[in-house]
Amino acid sequence: MDIALLVIGFLLMLVGILGSFLPVLPGPPISWVGLLLLYLTKAVPDNWWILGGTLILALGVTVLDYIIPAAGTKKFGGSKAGMWGTIVGLLVAILFPVFGPFGIIIWPFVGALVGELINKADQKTAMKAAFGSFIGFLTGTFMKFVLTAGYLVFFIIVTVKYASELFSF
């Protein structure tokens, strides 16, 4: 059973990292569930302080991920259309990887710009708002990625520490 929990936990870690970039997956909470599964094994002793602290971090970053892009867009004079454009641009980057790995950066900006141009007539204002929306999106994404990658590193460290107990067949 420990091996199943370990494998599922590791897969959730990877899905959590993917969720850092995909707006439909809440990356940090998914990664946290992976940590929880690791601590539910018989080999790894319970540490509710670590689980509680990492849960608070995961939920805090998830909430901030919704606040930061909105604040960035608002600060640069943007609208909800720019935020939606950023999300649509991200989906385009994922579904149609025209620019390869750079598409994850280019398409959200283009989406924000198009969203603002649809919402506003002034190109300068639309460009400024798109930039704000884009910066907010990148900040939230970076924050989620750093946290989920940190959870993965922690997962690996704990797994290696208790490897002899986890893999004692």
Side-chain angles (χ1 to χ4, degrees):
M1 188 64 169
D2 282 356
I3 298 297
L5 289 171
L6 188 68
V7 169
I8 293 169
F10 183 73
L11 291 174
L12 287 173
M13 288 286 156
L14 297 179
V15 170
I17 288 174
L18 189 61
S20 298
F21 301 101
L22 299 174
V24 295
L25 293 174
I30 290 173
S31 286
W32 182 83
V33 172
L35 280 178
L36 175 65
L37 291 180
L38 176 64
Y39 275 90
L40 289 178
T41 63
K42 292 177 185 172
V44 178
D46 294 340
N47 190 331
W48 298 108
W49 287 105
I50 288 177
L51 287 173
T54 54
L55 176 61
I56 289 169
L57 278 173
L59 295 176
V61 165
T62 302
V63 168
L64 283 174
D65 184 47
Y66 289 103
I67 295 170
I68 289 173
T73 302
K74 192 174 190 178
K75 182 174 174 89
F76 284 83
S79 66
K80 288 187 181 188
M83 289 174 44
W84 280 107
T86 303
I87 292 170
V88 169
L90 178 64
L91 293 174
V92 168
I94 293 165
L95 298 175
F96 308 104
V98 175
F99 295 115
F102 297 108
I104 202 87
I105 295 170
I106 295 168
W107 286 116
F109 178 80
V110 170
L113 181 62
V114 168
E116 291 299 337
L117 286 173
I118 289 171
N119 193 44
K120 297 180 174 152
D122 182 11
Q123 282 186 333
K124 183 178 180 183
T125 305
M127 185 66 95
K128 183 178 175 187
F131 182 72
S133 178
F134 177 68
I135 293 297
F137 163 76
L138 282 183
T139 303
T141 300
F142 179 74
M143 212 171 39
K144 291 187 298 184
F145 175 73
V146 167
L147 183 67
T148 56
Y151 283 1
L152 177 62
V153 168
F154 183 70
F155 185 94
I156 291 169
I157 289 170
V158 171
T159 301
V160 168
K161 181 177 180 181
Y162 295 100
S164 61
E165 291 91 0
L166 284 167
F167 300 109
S168 62
F169 301 121

